[in-house]
Amino acid sequence: MNTQEVIELFNQYVIGNYGRLPKVIVKGEGNIMSDLEGRQILDLFPGWAVSGIGHCHPKVVQAIQKQAAELIHMDNTFYTLPQGQLAKMLSERSFGGKCFFCNSGAEANEGAMKLARKYTAKGKYKFITTERSFHGRTFAAVTATGQPKYHDGFLPLVPGFEYIPFNDIDALTTAFSDEVAAVLIEPIQGEGGIHPATAEFLHTIRNLCDESGALMILDEVQTGMGRTGQWFAYQHFDVTPDILTLAKALGGGTAIGAMIAKPEIAAALTPGTHASTFGGNPLACAAGIATIQAIEEERLLENARTMGQYIQQKLAELKKNHSIIDSVRGIGLMIGLQLNGPGASIVSKCLDKGLRINCTQETVLRVMPSMTITADLIDRAVSILDQVLTEEGL
Ligand SMILES: *Cc1c(COP(=O)(O)O)cnc(C)c1O
């Protein structure tokens, strides 16, 4: 089959709910992916942050192959080794909580919100979330998502949600009441355009929750697992959530989500109250364990910090010659390039030259390289972007 034939296959048999770029990707290795015609593409947005340690990391591949030959799936009627081991590893690297495993970010957030209602109980039911946030596409997760464009056509949504502007402490204080079960936010808004929270905003959420008995839920589906140079982004802010949600980079490319809750809160989920058939399956958990091991053995948190600084500085230098660039923001390898105009055509021109980046919120170029990125590859990427901006006269 050639590219056109694959596209026709999709047109006929796959629901068209994604705007796809006209390329068929058949292979991924580290920071490079290859299309059906054998063209190589430098991937600075691998798997929408799922391939956080690059495509097909050898340690993850090996762990999956080994686990697949032993036990691919076992239901939660029984105990399994990888699930318990991964839970311990996550707990030790965060705040000593207990884990519930599922298969995606939306599901992790659903679990967190259900736990918050179950735990806080009497009279508490409201969720405060932020404008421009992104929490997933299932009904409660999309309701939590503070962007009307994702609600269009799906009304009525789940009751009990209130939205406040991100980093707006006055609005937060005003919205807060004894009816609030939880505040759910991303420490750095990802899909919303790479906007880091202020420490003051996070600390105010923490204090208000502590005073009223509400829970602080941090959605680290995109920021978690080392991308920002710490295991979890909240570790930059000297604040601890009650519940943390993860997915994307957690499984080295496999489908896995997790919610980590403080033990006394986690205790509210007694047998039968919540579940996921595939949740915590041995294959995905073995991949998760290998991912954490690779990050530690290869010192990738440090690499995320140094390469994050390097690429942010390189991108900021582009500002001198390209007036379309307004500013560069982000933490570690989670970077947004704020433009003064639309970015979609820049993304497709870069792809034509063998570089993959992303555009979100129309005017933000989103660059989220894997934690294995090198200075050489960053130089190559920045020079392609420079060339595209020059050619477009931007
Ligand atoms: C991607 C994302 C989600 C949704 O994850 P899915 O696996 O697509 O359900 C939730 N929250 C954040 C912050 C995300 O970036």
Side-chain angles (χ1 to χ4, degrees):
M1 265 198 256
N2 63 29
T3 296
Q4 198 46 45
E5 285 163 346
V6 175
I7 291 173
E8 274 156 26
L9 197 63
F10 270 62
N11 288 343
Q12 195 166 356
Y13 297 109
V14 179
I15 292 178
N17 61 312
Y18 300 102
R20 295 177 197 269
L21 296 167
K23 262 191 194 309
V24 180
I25 304 301
V26 293
K27 193 173 163 52
E29 195 179 356
N31 295 290
I32 306 292
M33 58 182 179
S34 315
D35 70 12
L36 198 50
E37 273 82 39
R39 262 195 92 219
Q40 296 202 331
I41 299 156
L42 174 54
D43 195 355
L44 261 62
F45 196 64
W48 285 71
V50 166
S51 306
I53 56 169
H55 295 287
C56 300
H57 191 289
K59 289 179 174 136
V60 174
V61 172
Q62 200 189 14
I64 290 175
Q65 284 172 340
K66 183 165 178 289
Q67 187 61 49
E70 279 170 19
L71 185 65
I72 294 175
H73 178 77
M74 182 43 60
D75 46 271
N76 285 296
T77 314
F78 300 98
Y79 296 90
T80 48
L81 292 169
Q83 183 176 155
Q85 286 161 350
L86 179 58
K88 179 171 190 270
M89 292 171 100
L90 290 173
S91 179
E92 287 172 351
R93 284 155 187 79
S94 51
F95 49 83
K98 288 183 153 187
C99 300
F100 164 80
F101 291 102
C102 50
N103 316 283
S104 67
E107 267 180 278
N109 287 329
E110 293 278 338
M113 289 186 277
K114 283 182 71 179
L115 172 55
R117 283 218 177 132
K118 189 92 172 47
Y119 173 77
T120 57
K122 283 196 203 79
K124 292 198 190 297
Y125 68 96
K126 272 192 192 164
F127 296 112
I128 295 179
T129 70
T130 58
E131 290 169 10
R132 215 178 43 200
S133 61
F134 186 83
H135 299 294
R137 305 296 196 124
T138 56
F139 256 111
V142 85
T143 304
T145 295
Q147 302 191 55
K149 69 176 179 190
Y150 292 126
H151 298 165
D152 271 2
F154 299 112
L155 306 181
L157 299 175
V158 176
F161 285 78
E162 191 167 342
Y163 312 99
I164 57 166
F166 194 63
N167 281 337
D168 186 334
I169 290 173
D170 288 342
L172 169 68
T173 313
T174 308
F176 223 89
S177 74
D178 282 339
E179 293 177 329
V180 173
V183 179
L184 166 63
I185 71 155
E186 300 153 87
I188 305 168
Q189 287 187 330
E191 199 272 349
I194 316 291
H195 296 280
T198 61
E200 204 189 353
F201 187 58
L202 294 176
H203 290 155
T204 309
I205 293 172
R206 184 65 275 170
N207 291 339
L208 288 169
C209 286
D210 286 344
E211 282 163 17
S212 76
L215 301 185
M216 177 175 189
I217 306 171
L218 288 184
D219 178 345
E220 295 228 28
V221 168
Q222 193 167 142
T223 54
M225 300 309 293
R227 164 159 306 284
T228 65
Q230 295 280 0
W231 277 111
F232 308 104
Y234 78 80
Q235 292 164 335
H236 292 280
F237 295 95
D238 191 29
V239 66
T240 306
D242 298 302
I243 306 177
L244 177 67
T245 58
L246 301 174
K248 294 210 165 92
L250 173 55
T254 60
I256 184 170
M259 145 176 102
I260 309 174
K262 288 181 178 165
E264 65 275 20
I265 296 166
L269 290 187
T270 50
T273 49
H274 191 55
S276 165
T277 301
F278 290 104
N281 69 80
L283 197 67
C285 287
I289 292 167
T291 301
I292 293 174
Q293 287 170 340
I295 290 171
E296 288 180 347
E297 287 163 14
E298 295 168 25
R299 307 176 78 82
L300 297 181
L301 291 177
E302 272 163 78
N303 195 56
R305 289 194 284 269
T306 49
M307 287 301 115
Q309 267 182 358
Y310 183 69
I311 189 171
Q312 290 197 41
Q313 172 212 322
K314 285 270 160 184
L315 289 171
E317 282 168 16
L318 286 183
K319 255 185 76 161
K320 271 184 255 157
N321 296 323
H322 303 291
S323 58
I324 189 158
I325 300 178
D326 174 82
S327 54
V328 180
R329 55 177 179 253
I331 304 181
L333 291 170
M334 186 161 178
I335 303 143
L337 220 66
Q338 180 67 58
L339 306 176
N340 303 312
S345 69
I346 298 174
V347 169
S348 61
K349 296 265 159 47
C350 283
L351 189 63
D352 291 343
K353 293 191 188 299
L355 169 68
R356 192 239 191 153
I357 54 173
N358 172 259
C359 176
T360 189
Q361 302 291 321
E362 287 170 23
T363 59
V364 181
L365 294 183
R366 189 162 40 155
V367 183
M368 306 219 299
S370 94
M371 294 166 71
T372 61
I373 198 75
T374 61
D376 279 356
L377 291 175
I378 288 172
D379 289 346
R380 202 206 296 180
V382 172
S383 105
I384 293 174
L385 180 58
D386 188 12
Q387 208 182 326
V388 165
L389 293 175
T390 302
E391 283 175 16
E392 298 299 302
L394 296 169

